[in-house]
Amino acid sequence: MDRAPRVLLFLILSVVPRAPADPLAWVNDVRRSARVHPVQEDLLLSRTAALWAARCAAAGILSHRGYDGSTALDRYRSLGGTEVRVGEILGAGPDAARVEKGWMASPEHRRLALSPAWTHAGWGSAEYGPSQVTVMMFTEKLVGRLLLAGSPEGLTVTGWFLPADAERGALYNGLDQVMPSAWEPESRVFRFQVPTGLIAGYLRLGYVSREGRFTLTNTFTWPPGTESPAGPARFAPPAPSP
């Protein structure tokens, strides 16, 4: 059964001093202290976070939603992200230590930052008068070196599933399941090929475990940018919180 894409949304509204100089180093320090594995930097997450920090700073608003209802997942997808789960925390002010302290003082923010589900993170900041806005994003990557390659013949999807319980891969092209053209059980390396005339536009990638459970790992559109799996591709400026 598909796991529906999820977005975890939490907001810190307290006015605190300057944004962290290196939030990734900070979050890995607190994760290690909590005996949680560190996260790796993801450049697309950092780009998404930096653009949102700039929009929040320009609007003078800290919000997870755009005025059109768009979310962190929409923003990530609009820039080419394919993972199905993201998390986001925000902070503003002129001092790094107070932002970090504020994040850790909030049970929701602390729980999100220390979640063992995350494997990657990214961050960005933008000036807002004498202060800064900082955005930090997280995701869970379950596929290594995912590559989507188009050609006149069609679309080729390659990579390998990181979870050891992946028994076989599955790609859904619209409602139709595509069988892998190559599958290596030991390494869990896969290859799928979809002929040009059969590409439905919206595709879902995942794996079936030894217990027969399907786990959704990535969703994407082809050609890229034709639409967002979470709705229209949106990156609207922030809206005030209700």
Side-chain angles (χ1 to χ4, degrees), residues 14 30 35 86 113 120 135 226 236 240:
S14 56
V30 297
R35 297 186 178 181
V86 300
H120 291 73
V135 177
T226 52

Side-chain angles (χ1 to χ4, degrees), residues 11-14 56 60-64 90-92 133-135 238-241:
L11 174 63
I12 182 168
L13 292 172
S14 56
C56 287
I61 296 171
L62 284 179
S63 177
H64 290 287
L90 312 176
V133 172
T134 295
V135 177
S241 298

Side-chain angles (χ1 to χ4, degrees), residues 24-174:
L24 187 66
W26 164 77
V27 80
N28 277 333
D29 283 345
V30 297
R31 286 173 71 89
R32 289 188 187 96
S33 296
R35 297 186 178 181
V36 180
H37 64 80
V39 290
Q40 302 178 49
E41 182 174 13
D42 180 81
L43 296 180
L44 186 60
L45 280 176
S46 288
R47 182 184 173 202
T48 307
L51 288 172
W52 189 239
R55 292 212 166 183
C56 287
I61 296 171
L62 284 179
S63 177
H64 290 287
R65 289 190 177 271
Y67 65 75
D68 60 351
S70 51
T71 66
L73 183 60
D74 288 316
R75 296 188 286 273
Y76 177 60
R77 291 271 173 76
S78 73
L79 297 180
T82 66
E83 273 68 40
V84 300
R85 187 185 188 199
V86 300
E88 179 181 83
I89 55 177
L90 312 176
D95 182 82
R98 291 289 299 278
V99 169
E100 297 162 359
K101 184 177 179 180
W103 280 341
M104 289 297 97
S106 163
E108 294 88 352
H109 290 78
R110 181 181 178 85
R111 185 161 51 247
L112 189 146
L114 298 181
S115 171
W118 308 132
T119 60
H120 291 73
W123 70 278
S125 64
E127 293 185 0
Y128 176 63
S131 300
Q132 288 185 332
V133 172
T134 295
V135 177
M136 191 162 196
M137 296 184 68
F138 303 85
T139 195
E140 177 185 33
K141 289 182 179 286
L142 299 176
V143 175
R145 294 189 181 179
L146 176 64
L147 177 63
L148 312 176
S151 70
E153 290 72 34
L155 171 66
T156 301
V157 181
T158 59
W160 74 84
F161 294 110
L162 300 175
D165 67 337
E167 184 73 14
R168 59 183 174 86
L171 178 69
Y172 287 89
N173 174 36

